Amino acid sequence: MTTKMRSEIAEQPAALRATLDALLPRTEEVRRLAQDTRHMLFIARGTSDNAAVYGRYLIEARAGRLSALAAPSIATTYRRTLDLDGVLAVGLSQSGRTEEIVETLEWAKACGAKTVAITNGGEESPLAQAADLALCTLAGEEKAVPATKTYTTQLAALAVLALGLGADVNGDDLRRVPDAVEKLISDPGDLDAVVDGLAGKPGVVVSGRGLAFSTALELALKLKEACYMHAMGLSYADLLHGPIAVVDEDTPAVLVASGEGPTLAGTISLAQRVTGAGASAFGVGGGTELAAASTASLNGPDLPEWVSPLGLIVPGQLLTEALARRLGIDPDAPRGLNKVTQTD
């Protein structure tokens, strides 16, 4: 059985190549728009909110700009006017048609912010029309409800945004991403063992830190959406402050890390602590060291930390799709969900 979700996972290398070809030449437009701004405000919900977490960490860590995630209800429910002079507001929506996100981006502009849209909905989408600058991804139509290729191309657009903001990174690293994703699709690691380890478990803790935190949140969301698991996405710093008590033989941990960077050592230590307590720890990425400390592991991309989240989520997507099928769930159409979600 080939699900739409599995087919769309396989389309990601081509979607990433097309998106990077379209957006990398536009870094100068980003620089000009942002030249009189100091801070960043990301406006999103759901999967797009997880992408925004990547944007926040990337731009704070590598471009040196204070960044925050917006609370759209301040604009849409409380109707509060804020002083957003000097802010670059970035609205993210795969469809470009989520009314709350469009309204909040319009609110940010009315409050004095410069505005950017990141969407797969095209230049004619309401979100793109509302923005000063639209960075439109080229993932093509996505039919499965769980976002895959629209998520990774959002991350690519955020990486291009960071380049336009002067991030201290090597932009050539982005061109390596599609090949790295292609390799992960063909060789995700010990997928069957991780599926076996999660099947039948009522819940799971998914944890990462820093730039990998966004991947932990997104993988937890996918396991909730498509596998109906009680999946908790946490920074491993927050996990150690109490919630680690829920990790036991019935609640395994999935630990996500780049193969390099300042959070890798802590992730390895956490895996050793989990397995030492008799629970299962399943690694995603983190190289050979995290794999050695884990019960079973999925491969990560051979990429620098700043772009690793574009690849790290891919084995997690494959895990979600395979686990859903193991559990007898159609991952293309999870119960109670639609492709575009509107909120009051």
Side-chain angles (χ1 to χ4, degrees):
M1 173 185 177
T2 300
T3 63
K4 294 185 181 73
M5 183 180 180
R6 182 62 181 82
S7 296
E8 288 165 357
I9 291 169
E11 293 168 7
Q12 288 177 115
L16 285 162
R17 289 186 184 103
T19 296
L20 291 171
D21 285 344
L23 297 186
L24 277 170
R26 303 187 64 190
T27 55
E28 178 59 24
E29 293 177 65
V30 173
R31 188 198 66 78
R32 288 198 301 268
L33 180 66
Q35 63 187 355
D36 295 324
T37 64
R38 303 180 304 279
H39 305 312
M40 305 289 298
L41 183 67
F42 291 98
I43 302 164
R45 289 287 191 198
T47 289
S48 296
D49 211 25
N50 297 334
V53 170
Y54 166 69
R56 177 189 177 185
Y57 274 87
L58 175 61
I59 287 168
E60 288 194 336
R62 305 309 293 266
R65 284 177 174 244
L66 181 65
S67 303
L69 304 182
S73 60
I74 298 299
T76 62
T77 303
Y78 290 96
R79 306 287 180 179
R80 182 72 184 186
T81 299
L82 303 181
D83 181 1
L84 298 184
D85 183 50
V87 171
L88 182 65
V90 183
L92 298 99
S93 166
Q94 280 125 9
S95 69
R97 294 184 285 117
T98 302
E99 293 170 3
E100 180 188 35
I101 304 306
V102 176
E103 184 178 345
T104 303
L105 193 68
E106 292 171 337
W107 164 87
K109 181 185 287 190
C111 290
K114 299 294 180 63
T115 56
V116 175
I118 293 178
T119 180
N120 196 54
E123 297 281 352
E124 300 306 313
S125 66
L127 188 68
Q129 291 290 304
D132 296 317
L133 174 66
L135 299 178
C136 294
T137 60
L138 297 176
E141 183 183 6
E142 190 171 61
K143 296 180 179 179
V145 170
T148 54
K149 60 182 180 173
T150 54
Y151 174 75
T152 51
T153 54
Q154 276 185 325
L155 299 187
L158 287 163
V160 170
L161 182 72
L163 291 176
L165 296 173
D168 180 20
V169 296
N170 183 351
D172 292 340
D173 293 335
L174 264 175
R175 289 294 188 183
R176 296 170 50 197
V177 169
D179 287 346
V181 168
E182 204 159 49
K183 183 177 179 181
L184 287 168
I185 292 169
S186 64
D187 182 19
D190 203 351
L191 184 61
D192 289 341
V194 181
V195 170
D196 289 343
L198 294 182
K201 301 297 185 184
V204 61
V205 173
V206 188
S207 187
R209 195 174 185 187
L211 285 159
F213 180 40
S214 58
T215 306
L217 292 173
E218 175 61 9
L219 177 51
L221 178 60
K222 288 291 162 282
L223 293 170
K224 292 173 189 174
E225 284 180 332
C227 301
Y228 311 155
M229 291 190 76
H230 295 286
M232 182 187 305
L234 288 169
S235 161
Y236 73 62
D238 288 326
L239 178 61
L240 293 172
H241 276 273
I244 195 168
V246 307
V247 178
D248 57 24
E249 60 182 18
D250 291 322
T251 308
V254 176
L255 306 178
V256 183
S258 171
E260 62 171 41
T263 68
L264 176 57
T267 309
I268 294 166
S269 295
L270 180 56
Q272 293 167 338
R273 178 172 173 178
V274 169
T275 57
S280 295
F282 301 110
V284 180
T288 56
E289 289 182 277
L290 183 57
S294 301
T295 309
S297 65
L298 302 176
N299 295 332
D302 182 17
L303 292 169
E305 185 197 21
W306 79 277
V307 285
S308 65
L310 282 73
L312 274 174
I313 190 57
V314 173
Q317 295 167 345
L318 292 167
L319 169 62
T320 299
E321 191 271 346
L323 180 59
R325 287 190 290 105
R326 173 74 66 85
L327 298 174
I329 299 167
D330 179 3
D332 294 336
R335 65 189 181 206
L337 295 177
N338 296 305
K339 194 62 186 168
V340 179
T341 301
Q342 305 290 8
T343 48
D344 294 329

